[in-house]
């Protein structure tokens, strides 16, 4: 099983992420950190965990290209039955891997298992899988345990909604997910969901720059997947 961590700077957060991997109740995994051209000393953060993750941890480095190319670069080294893409600002609950794996083992017809998470004070309860809901809006986080044989790859051209695009692409190939109704990880504040806004803002303030960017990115995904 392979955990792929794309990282651009965020060395301090990466240390916390790796520390949460060390304490997992399930230990049959390997970790690949993909340094996406960081300016910070990410290598030192990785090196400090090599003794704790003996033989399980390696790092590759590439020119800065973005998170999707970094994830796909890590995927080129993959072997084993399962994949998990984990952003550097994620702190896993100690039973996360075990819980997601047991859920997949109990649901052999499902391609991936995902749970809820907490970002700062906000709890994101993702809810049961629904193909209809997925075609309407993104609701499943990138960090899910995926069967390697079902993984469709990330679109290197996308800058937003990479997760939505992945799950829609897999859905088009007949692959669905299964939900674990518990918090499986926390996201350190200031990370990838730092632009989160309450849903009512998108209706009340359509001219807000952040809302406009969201709508533009949403349109790209809907056009790609024929959802408009």
């Amino acid at each position: 099983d392979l955990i792929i961590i794309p990282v651009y700077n965020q060395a301090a957060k990466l240390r916390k992420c790796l520390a949460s991997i060390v304490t997992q109740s399930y230990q049959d995994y390997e970790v690949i950190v993909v340094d996406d051209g960081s300016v910070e000393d990410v290598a030192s953060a990785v090196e400090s965990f090599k003794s704790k993750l003996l033989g399980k941890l390696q790092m590759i480095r590439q020119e800065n290209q973005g998170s999707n190319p970094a994830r796909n670069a890590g995927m080129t080294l993959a072997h084993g039955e399962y994949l998990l893409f984990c952003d550097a600002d994620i702190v896993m609950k100690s039973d996360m891997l075990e819980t997601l794996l047991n859920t997949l083992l109990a649901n052999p017809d499902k391609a991936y298992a995902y749970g809820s998470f907490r970002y700062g004070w906000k709890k994101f309860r993702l809810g049961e899988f629904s193909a209809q809901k997925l075609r309407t809006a993104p609701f499943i986080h990138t960090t899910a345990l995926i069967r390697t044989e079902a993984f469709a790859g990330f679109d290197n051209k996308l800058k937003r909604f990479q997760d939505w695009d992945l799950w829609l692409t897999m859905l088009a190939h007949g692959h669905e997910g299964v939900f674990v109704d518990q918090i499986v990880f926390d996201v350190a504040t200031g990370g990838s969901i730092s632009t989160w806004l309450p849903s009512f803002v998108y209706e009340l303030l359509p001219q807000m720059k952040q809302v406009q960017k969201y709508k533009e990115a949403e349109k790209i995904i809907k056009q790609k997947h024929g959802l408009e």
Side-chain angles (χ1 to χ4, degrees):
D1 303 344
L2 183 64
I3 300 170
I4 299 172
I5 308 175
V7 60
Y8 176 69
N9 296 325
Q10 294 190 313
K13 290 180 179 178
L14 177 61
R15 290 176 185 271
K16 292 181 180 179
C17 178
L18 291 172
S20 73
I21 293 174
V22 169
T23 61
Q24 288 298 297
S25 56
Y26 177 79
Q27 286 287 312
D28 188 12
Y29 57 75
E30 294 181 40
V31 182
I32 295 178
V33 175
V34 185
D35 181 2
D36 187 37
S38 298
V39 177
E40 292 182 19
D41 188 4
V42 169
S44 291
V46 173
E47 194 64 32
S48 67
F49 278 88
K50 283 200 170 176
S51 61
K52 297 175 183 177
L53 291 165
L54 193 61
K56 295 183 177 183
L57 175 63
Q58 62 175 304
M59 187 185 87
I60 59 176
R61 181 177 169 85
Q62 64 180 28
E63 295 296 319
N64 181 248
Q65 299 176 53
S67 58
N68 274 1
R71 292 180 179 116
N72 285 330
M75 179 59 194
T76 63
L77 302 177
H79 54 85
E81 293 184 60
Y82 304 98
L83 292 168
L84 187 133
F85 294 93
C86 177
D87 292 338
D89 57 4
I90 282 176
V91 177
M92 299 181 182
K93 300 298 185 184
S94 62
D95 62 346
M96 173 178 153
L97 294 180
E98 182 178 13
T99 298
L100 295 180
L101 177 59
N102 285 340
T103 301
L104 273 186
L105 292 174
N107 294 272
D109 59 323
K110 302 303 182 183
Y112 57 96
Y114 64 96
S116 297
F117 65 95
R118 185 177 287 106
Y119 176 78
W121 58 269
K122 173 66 175 176
K123 177 181 176 181
F124 287 80
R125 186 183 182 279
L126 304 189
E128 297 294 335
F129 181 85
S130 163
Q132 181 178 358
K133 182 179 178 180
L134 187 61
R135 292 187 182 102
T136 304
F139 74 98
I140 302 173
H141 196 279
T142 312
T143 300
L145 189 64
I146 308 169
R147 296 187 194 276
T148 304
E149 62 183 9
F151 176 63
F154 288 95
D155 186 338
N156 285 343
K157 299 187 297 294
L158 294 177
K159 302 298 182 184
R160 294 191 67 169
F161 293 130
Q162 299 98 320
D163 47 2
W164 191 19
D165 176 67
L166 173 65
W167 307 132
L168 284 170
T169 301
M170 289 176 61
L171 181 62
H173 291 107
H175 300 306
E176 298 187 346
V178 57
F179 175 57
V180 176
D181 191 9
Q182 66 186 67
I183 297 288
V184 295
F185 62 84
D186 295 317
V187 181
T189 54
S192 58
I193 316 175
S194 57
T195 54
W196 174 79
L197 293 172
S199 57
F200 68 83
V201 172
Y202 294 89
E203 300 297 329
L204 297 180
L205 299 173
Q207 299 307 313
M208 185 176 175
K209 186 176 181 180
Q210 189 172 323
V211 173
Q212 289 181 333
K213 287 184 176 180
Y214 180 97
K215 293 296 185 182
E216 289 169 4
E218 181 183 53
K219 185 176 181 180
I220 290 171
I221 300 298
K222 287 188 174 182
Q223 287 180 338
K224 176 180 176 180
H225 293 276
L227 302 177
E228 289 191 319

